[in-house]
Amino acid sequence: MKVNLGFGAHNSRDWDRVLAEDFSSPPATPDWECVQGTLAIADLAEPLGFDGIWMPEHCGTPYGMTPNPIQALSYFAGRTERVSLGTFVAVAPWWHPIRLAHQIAYLDIISNGRYDTIGIGRGVSKGEFDAVGVPREESRQRFNETLDILQLAFSGERFAYEGEIFKVPEMSLRPEPKSRDLFSRIYSSSSTAESLEILARRGMVPLFVGNKPIEDAGREVQKVNTFRQEEGLPPCQPKNVMFMYCSADPEDAAKSEEWIWTANRDVTVHYGFADASNFRGVKGYEAYAAREATATAVLASSVTGPQDGPAKGPSKTPGYHASNLLIGTPEEIFNRIKAAQEACSFCELTIVPQFGTMPFDEATASTKLFAKEVLPAVQEMAAPLHRAALPENALA
């Protein structure tokens, strides 16, 4: 199984200042230091034997801080020779589809075809949509039209498009990409049942990013494969993202509690989960309003920090679910990966080695230990499509 490293630059200790709206002084740690620390760990991917480097798309808050994942991956395309590249995810509604198609094609050329996971999604954060001037009410339509246009653009033919939002005159994608199968490399991330069905019926394969119990992800794979069967498509396997801290000392796992808690706090505040008015009545985002009850408690305690240990129960935070956390010794982490693959049949794994307030030296040591003690075994591990991920009528 392929194992990649995934990154987003976080300045998590700056959230107290941002929440207090105290912008009279700059962050105690400059953002550029966080970005450079992230890039330094990513530089380890190829020499340590990982299979790929993945980047997200976020801007405007201390969370994620990767405003253009394709730009970041272009940087690594020039610094590496072997590893594949992936996005988790490029937020399609923030892009003009023709610009996105050209940037994907150009990265395909300069990486010699190594951009093999084109993860895209439709975005959530009100602040990010407002900053780029895109109405969230249009996100699903923009996303669907972007998929239409990418499919046409990557066909190798001249094309035109007439949608509700985007109008594209007859044109060709120039430069043309090197690879001829770019549309089949698109993976979709969705957080609602409606989006999951729409994308599955279009033939999109899921990309899970740690925001739901692994067992729920497994049930979603079965739903996806049921929809695919109804559309005459073969079953598929998702790709999965999990968050990792590896230490030879079992007692070190306790150190991760603050990092996990702050990572979940970051998710809650960045996406606005603590205020249902961010989602109530917004077309396509109605399901998010239900998250307010769990999110508010996290926001209320964000300044003082966790009171009784952030990792003690998955219900304490609405962010990264405990079943997607690879925290522990090399043996414990390998067993967790094996159990997770059996639960949701993912064919490829991306681990995020730095999150929340985890220091970069801790993340570096953890990554090196994982590469030495866990990575070879996981790369040799089979990643089958399990029967539980097949359509229900296939299990009869």
Side-chain angles (χ1 to χ4, degrees):
M1 180 167 61
K2 287 181 63 176
V3 184
N4 315 299
L5 287 179
F7 300 93
H10 305 288
N11 197 346
S12 293
R13 297 193 186 280
D14 194 44
W15 271 112
D16 291 349
R17 187 183 67 96
V18 171
L19 287 169
E21 298 184 352
D22 178 11
F23 301 111
S24 60
S25 59
T29 301
D31 288 346
W32 65 263
E33 288 189 11
C34 301
V35 172
Q36 288 191 348
T38 298
L39 298 179
I41 302 175
D43 266 335
L44 298 174
E46 187 159 278
L48 289 179
F50 288 92
D51 296 292
I53 296 171
W54 286 21
M55 291 286 176
E57 181 170 9
H58 288 296
C59 63
T61 79
Y63 175 77
M65 296 195 306
T66 311
N68 184 339
I70 297 175
Q71 177 189 38
L73 293 176
S74 297
Y75 171 80
F76 284 107
R79 295 175 68 83
T80 59
E81 296 179 355
R82 174 187 58 81
V83 292
S84 63
L85 307 170
T87 42
F88 70 129
V89 295
V91 183
W94 303 342
W95 294 76
H96 190 287
I98 296 301
R99 291 286 295 164
L100 180 59
H102 277 104
Q103 293 220 17
I104 291 171
Y106 202 79
L107 177 55
D108 177 64
I109 294 169
I110 65 175
S111 69
N112 198 25
R114 289 186 284 144
Y115 186 13
D116 69 0
T117 302
I118 306 172
I120 63 174
R122 67 183 179 100
V124 175
S125 169
K126 179 181 185 297
E128 288 179 303
F129 273 91
D130 289 349
V132 297
V134 173
R136 274 189 305 166
E137 293 82 357
E138 296 180 359
S139 69
R140 182 166 283 142
Q141 185 65 26
R142 285 174 175 266
F143 184 83
N144 291 337
E145 291 189 20
T146 296
L147 287 177
D148 291 341
I149 293 168
L150 291 179
Q151 188 166 17
L152 291 169
F154 297 149
S155 69
E157 307 291 335
R158 287 185 64 79
F159 68 96
Y161 185 80
E162 186 78 15
E164 292 181 17
I165 296 175
F166 298 108
K167 321 292 182 186
V168 180
E170 185 175 319
M171 62 168 294
S172 300
L173 196 65
R174 302 296 296 272
E176 294 182 346
K178 177 178 181 179
S179 303
R180 295 300 179 187
D181 63 343
L182 286 183
F183 192 75
S184 68
R185 301 182 186 186
I186 295 178
Y187 288 74
S188 60
S189 176
S190 60
S191 295
T192 67
E194 183 180 6
S195 291
L196 186 78
E197 180 172 359
I198 291 171
L199 294 170
R201 292 191 183 281
R202 288 200 61 148
M204 298 291 102
V205 180
L207 176 61
F208 295 122
V209 192
N211 57 354
K212 63 192 69 176
I214 200 72
E215 292 80 8
D216 288 357
R219 284 186 284 271
E220 287 194 0
V221 177
Q222 186 183 59
K223 289 180 182 178
V224 166
N225 283 329
T226 298
F227 298 140
R228 288 174 66 90
Q229 182 186 66
E230 292 170 358
E231 299 296 327
L233 299 169
C236 68
Q237 292 181 260
K239 297 187 179 185
N240 199 40
V241 177
M242 304 181 78
F243 298 77
M244 184 276 296
Y245 175 65
C246 183
S247 175
D249 185 350
E251 300 299 319
D252 280 350
K255 294 194 296 187
S256 70
E257 292 187 351
E258 176 197 336
W259 310 332
I260 296 165
W261 185 87
T262 50
N264 284 333
R265 184 273 315 272
D266 295 359
V267 169
T268 298
V269 183
H270 173 80
Y271 287 111
F273 289 151
D275 183 357
S277 67
N278 286 325
F279 306 103
R280 191 181 295 118
V282 181
K283 182 182 177 182
Y285 292 88
E286 297 85 354
Y288 287 89
R291 301 186 183 194
E292 181 182 27
T294 53
T296 302
V298 179
L299 181 61
S301 62
S302 62
V303 176
T304 57
Q307 302 302 310
D308 57 354
K312 304 240 172 131
S315 64
K316 289 188 179 294
T317 57
Y320 306 118
H321 194 269
S323 61
N324 284 283
L325 297 175
L326 303 174
I327 308 295
T329 64
E331 181 179 5
E332 290 171 334
I333 287 177
F334 177 81
N335 290 335
R336 283 178 175 267
I337 293 173
K338 189 171 184 295
Q341 199 286 324
E342 291 172 355
C344 81
S345 292
F346 55 79
C347 63
E348 186 171 330
L349 174 65
T350 295
I351 62 169
V352 178
Q354 198 277 333
F355 47 86
T357 52
M358 183 191 298
F360 286 106
D361 59 348
E362 291 273 8
T364 299
S366 166
T367 302
K368 290 180 177 179
L369 181 61
F370 180 96
K372 179 181 179 182
E373 302 289 341
V374 186
L375 180 61
V378 179
Q379 289 173 327
E380 292 177 3
M381 188 174 77
L385 176 64
H386 297 282
R387 293 184 72 247
L390 296 173
E392 288 187 8
N393 60 13
L395 303 180

